[in-house]
Amino acid sequence: MAISLDRHGLTELGEQAARRGLELIDAQGDPEKLRTQLQNSLKDMRTSQRRGREVEVKPEVLEDLRAALAIDFKSGQPRDLDALCRELAPDLDSLPVKRPMKPSDLPLPNMPPIAPRTEPPKRKPNRNDPCWCGSGKKYKYCHMDNDLKRGR
């Protein structure tokens, strides 16, 4: 549950879940050998870039999740962690998810826009000139072969 909460950007809540898990292990033993995984997760969450998403969650959902951390887990059946998180917080999947930046997210450099052209210019471009089509590629890598085949 701690790892799932962190993956959804609820890192502070994930830390609370990991600490609660370690408390339960101390009290009841560690038959599933989860101590190291929880300790490593807790260490990773302390430096996580996904922190601060709790402010985007409805307060009643956060309270439900915090109440779930206080449940006595002495009895019950093993549950799928993602399903349990969704059951405890049905809105979890509708939260906006932070993702790593992609090149398309980065601002474009301040360059004048290149107006696309639909036909070649009157004069033949040099091989290293920008292509006449406006692609931004050199002419030799873009339309030069096609133009030579067509006799332009």
Side-chain angles (χ1 to χ4, degrees):
M1 183 176 189
I3 295 166
S4 292
L5 288 168
D6 178 48
R7 188 172 51 235
H8 286 285
L10 303 174
T11 304
E12 288 85 3
L13 204 54
E15 286 177 331
Q16 290 175 359
R19 283 192 291 274
R20 173 70 169 136
L22 289 170
E23 289 172 11
L24 291 169
I25 287 171
D26 289 342
Q28 300 174 10
D30 190 9
E32 296 177 23
K33 309 290 186 226
L34 295 175
R35 178 184 300 281
T36 303
Q37 183 180 8
L38 281 172
Q39 288 171 331
N40 290 339
S41 295
L42 191 57
K43 187 172 99 178
D44 291 342
M45 284 184 248
R46 288 185 183 129
T47 58
S48 175
Q49 297 294 321
R50 296 180 286 237
R51 300 180 91 55
R53 295 284 311 285
E54 281 81 2
V55 296
E56 300 172 27
V57 180
K58 294 179 184 175
E60 55 271 12
V61 172
L62 281 178
E63 289 307 313
D64 289 345
L65 287 169
R66 287 191 177 106
L69 294 177
I71 293 174
D72 181 11
F73 292 104
K74 289 182 182 174
S75 63
Q77 299 295 321
R79 304 279 300 277
D80 174 64
L81 293 178
D82 284 332
L84 180 60
C85 286
R86 284 183 185 82
E87 183 180 321
L88 294 171
D91 295 342
L92 198 58
D93 285 328
S94 64
L95 294 174
V97 177
K98 289 185 179 180
R99 60 177 172 74
M101 289 186 76
K102 295 179 181 175
S104 61
D105 295 332
L106 300 173
L108 296 174
N110 290 332
M111 294 175 55
I114 299 172
R117 296 178 60 179
T118 56
E119 50 185 78
K122 303 296 182 215
R123 72 163 185 86
K124 181 182 174 202
N126 293 325
R127 5 179 338 104
N128 289 320
D129 287 345
C131 188
W132 55 263
C133 72
S135 67
K137 297 179 183 178
K138 287 185 177 184
Y139 176 63
K140 65 183 175 185
Y141 295 125
C142 195
H143 275 91
M144 187 172 88
D145 288 338
N146 288 340
D147 289 350
L148 290 174
K149 286 177 187 172
R150 292 184 179 149
R152 291 183 185 162

